Amino acid sequence: MSPPPPTRRLRGHGAVLFVGTFLGNMLSYFFFVVLSRTLTPPDLGAVGSLVSLATIAAVPGTGIQLVAARWVAAPPPESAASPGSAASPGSAASSGSAASPGSAASPGTAALDAALGASLRLAAVLSAAALVLVPGAAYLLRVDVGAALAVATAAAPITLTFAVQGLLQGRERFGALATVAALVGITRVSAAVLAAAGDLGPDAVMWLFTAGWALTLYIAGFLMHRDGGPHLFKAARHAWGSAPSRAIFRQSVTAVLPMSGLLVLSSLDMLLARHFLPEDLSGGYAIGAVFEKVAFWGPTFLATLYYPRMARAADRARAVRDALLLTASVGAVGVLAAFLLGGPLVAVVGGAEYAALAPLAWLFCTLGVTLALVQVLVYADLAAGRHRAGAAVWLALAASTVVVAGRHASIEQVVTGVLGCLLVVALVSAWLSRIPRRGAGARRG
C-alpha cells in the first residue's frame, strides 16, 4: 500500500499538532484566569514574572529539542564521521525504512540514548546555574527566595521534557508529541486549581507549578518508552559520557542561541513590567500578557510543521511564504476579535477588576502575532544553517529594555515600546532572509 501524499501527511500532522498545542496553550493561559480570582494584583504580578522566568529557563530545552529531532530523523552529514558512526543516528529514518523500535542495534535507539544523555548533562548544568542565580532573581523581581527556588528546581524537568518532545518529533510520533504538549497545560491549570482551592500564595503556586512539570516529564518518558523508545533515566545515565552525547550537547548549545533570543523576548515585557511598573499595574499586565501569549503560541505549530520543508532548498521559499501567510492570517483574526470583543474577553480572563485593560487587548494580541511571525523567520534561518534573524532578535532585546527603561509610566507605554522594537526586528529579519547564504556547504547550527 503506497504511503499518503506529502500534502495529505502534512495536513494530518498539522491537525494533530494543532489540537495538542492548542489545548496545552489554552489550558496554560487558564492558569492565570484561575489565579486572578484568588490572588491580589501584586501577588498575581509576582507569579506572572516567575512564570516568565521559567519560560526563559526553558530556553536551553528548545535547543536540545531541535537538535534531538534532527539527530534522530535526519542528522547533518558531518555526524557520519563522528565517533560511533557505525550506528549513525537517524540513518534508518534517512533511508526511509523504520528500524525496529526496541532493537538494541537500532541506530534510532542509539540516537535516542545519546540525545537523552546530552539532555541530562544540559539539565544538570542549567540547574546548577539557576540555583546560583536564585537570590539575584528574587531581588530583581521582588519575590520570596522560596518562589525563585521553585523556578530553579523546575529547570531540570523542563529541559528533559523538551528533549523527549524532540525525540518524539524526530521519530514522527506526532500523537505522543501532541499528548505531551497538552499535558503541559493540564498540569499547569491543575496547579492553579489546587492553589486556588487552598487559598495559597505565590510560593506554593510556584512549587505546584514545578510539580506539574515533574509529572509531565514522567508521563512523557512513559509514552516514549511504551512507543518502543528507551527508558528515560536509564538511557540518559548509560549515554551520559558517550561521544555522540557530547556532540549533541555541543550542537544544542549552538542551536539554542537564535531560539533563546526569541523566547527571552517573548517574556521580557512581563519582566520589565514587573520591575518598572507599580505592583498593582504589573498584575494588570499579567492579565494583558495572556492575550499576547495566546496570539504568540496559538500558531506556533505552523513553524514546527513547516520546519523540515524550510530545510530543503527546493521547498524553502514556498514553505517560508506559506508559514508566514498562515501565521499572519490566524493572527489577524485574533487581533480583530480582541479589538471588537476586548471588554468581554478581559472580563472572562481577569474579571471586572481588570476592565480598564479592554482597550489594550488588541495591542497585546498584535505583540503576540508579531512574535509568532518573527519565530517563523528565526526557524527559516535555522533551517538554512544561519543565525541572522537570531542576532536581530538579540538586538531587539537590548532595544526593548532601553525603550521601556526610558518610558514606562503605564501599561500602554510598556507594550507599545516592546511592540515597536519587534516590528522593526520583523522587517529586518524578513530582509535578511532574502539575502543568499554564502557557501553551499555551510553547516547547520
Side-chain angles (χ1 to χ4, degrees):
M1 184 177 180
S2 61
T7 301
R8 186 180 302 174
R9 290 203 308 270
L10 194 66
R11 289 173 181 171
H13 294 163
V16 171
L17 284 174
F18 170 75
V19 171
T21 56
F22 180 80
L23 179 61
N25 288 329
M26 288 304 297
L27 289 175
S28 294
Y29 306 136
F30 271 99
F31 175 83
F32 288 104
V33 173
V34 173
L35 291 177
S36 68
R37 268 61 176 178
T38 58
L39 294 180
T40 64
D43 282 349
L44 187 64
V47 171
S49 63
L50 287 164
V51 171
S52 294
L53 192 63
T55 301
I56 293 174
V59 166
T62 63
I64 199 147
Q65 178 176 351
L66 290 173
V67 173
R70 189 171 63 210
W71 186 275
V72 172
E78 63 267 20
S79 66
S82 64
S85 60
S88 176
S91 59
S94 300
S95 65
S97 62
S100 57
S103 171
S106 166
T109 300
L112 291 170
D113 289 355
L116 289 173
S119 68
L120 188 61
R121 182 189 296 269
L122 185 63
V125 171
L126 180 61
S127 295
L131 289 172
V132 171
L133 295 174
V134 161
Y139 172 77
L140 290 174
L141 299 180
R142 293 173 289 172
V143 298
D144 291 340
V145 172
L149 181 61
V151 176
T153 305
I158 289 174
T159 302
L160 291 168
T161 300
F162 271 101
V164 173
Q165 287 180 313
L167 298 178
L168 293 172
Q169 182 180 359
R171 300 178 72 201
E172 298 187 73
R173 301 302 196 260
F174 291 106
L177 180 60
T179 300
V180 176
L183 276 171
V184 173
I186 292 171
T187 55
R188 185 175 295 189
V189 77
S190 297
V193 170
L194 290 173
D199 196 23
L200 304 177
D203 286 27
V205 169
M206 295 313 300
W207 282 109
L208 287 170
F209 172 89
T210 299
W213 271 108
L215 179 60
T216 299
L217 172 62
Y218 176 81
I219 297 175
F222 169 79
L223 289 173
M224 181 179 64
H225 186 54
R226 188 190 66 175
D227 196 44
H231 185 281
L232 175 62
F233 292 106
K234 288 181 181 177
R237 290 197 305 269
H238 171 72
W240 170 276
S242 68
S245 178
R246 293 196 300 270
I248 293 176
F249 178 84
R250 290 192 298 269
Q251 291 173 22
S252 299
V253 172
T254 302
V256 79
L257 294 175
M259 277 301 296
S260 63
L262 179 65
L263 289 178
V264 173
L265 189 59
S266 72
S267 299
L268 179 69
D269 61 321
M270 184 64 237
L271 297 176
L272 292 174
R274 177 65 182 175
H275 183 73
F276 288 111
L277 293 176
E279 289 188 344
D280 56 337
L281 289 184
S282 73
Y285 200 98
I287 295 300
V290 172
F291 291 89
E292 173 193 342
K293 302 305 182 187
V294 169
F296 174 39
W297 292 111
T300 52
F301 76 98
L302 293 167
T304 300
L305 185 65
Y306 280 94
Y307 181 77
R309 295 179 63 194
M310 292 176 186
R312 296 193 293 266
D315 299 331
R316 172 177 160 75
R318 182 174 180 179
V320 174
R321 184 195 65 196
D322 289 351
L324 287 172
L325 286 176
L326 286 170
T327 300
S329 298
V330 172
V333 173
V335 172
L336 181 61
F339 181 78
L340 297 176
L341 303 172
L345 290 174
V346 169
V348 170
V349 173
E353 185 177 1
Y354 298 96
L357 282 173
L360 302 179
W362 73 274
L363 272 176
F364 279 99
C365 280
T366 303
L367 179 58
V369 173
T370 307
L371 277 166
L373 292 171
V374 172
Q375 183 189 36
V376 173
L377 294 168
V378 170
Y379 267 59
D381 231 25
L382 283 171
R386 303 186 305 197
H387 305 290
R388 296 168 178 172
V393 167
W394 281 103
L395 291 176
L397 276 165
S400 297
T401 303
V402 171
V403 169
V404 173
R407 186 173 176 268
H408 53 259
S410 66
I411 292 176
E412 184 176 6
Q413 286 189 356
V414 174
V415 70
T416 54
V418 177
L419 176 59
C421 295
L422 266 178
L423 289 172
V424 172
V425 78
L427 293 173
V428 170
S429 297
W431 174 70
L432 289 174
S433 69
R434 298 176 64 88
I435 301 176
R437 181 182 62 179
R438 277 187 202 170
R443 285 176 135 192
R444 290 183 187 182

